[in-house]
Amino acid sequence: PSSPPRIESISRENEAIRFSFTPEAGFKYALEYAEKLPPQTWRATGQSIGATNTQRATLSDTPPAWARFRYYRLSVTADE
């Protein structure tokens, strides 16, 4: 993308945490998390989207009740 993705808003709906951002067409965005920083590895939440336009998009995660902390990031790859 022309610039790194920027999470524009974070909200909570029931147990789900929702992250909204504006994607760039032609790229695939995935929500990843780590349970501590610095992370040994980032894990996929299973949520990803391929952007075909620049309309606002939302990805979400429902962490388990035992997860005290989660740190999130958006990863970006070229959409093939």
Side-chain angles (χ1 to χ4, degrees), residues 18-59:
R18 300 168 56 87
F19 301 86
S20 297
F21 61 99
T22 301
E24 188 174 320
F27 293 91
K28 185 175 183 177
Y29 295 81
L31 184 62
E32 298 177 335
Y33 73 93
E35 293 175 349
K36 62 182 180 176
L37 293 177
Q40 291 181 358
T41 59
W42 287 95
R43 296 185 172 118
T45 62
Q47 292 259 315
S48 65
I49 60 163
T52 57
N53 57 46
T54 56
Q55 293 182 356
R56 193 171 197 176
T58 300
L59 293 172

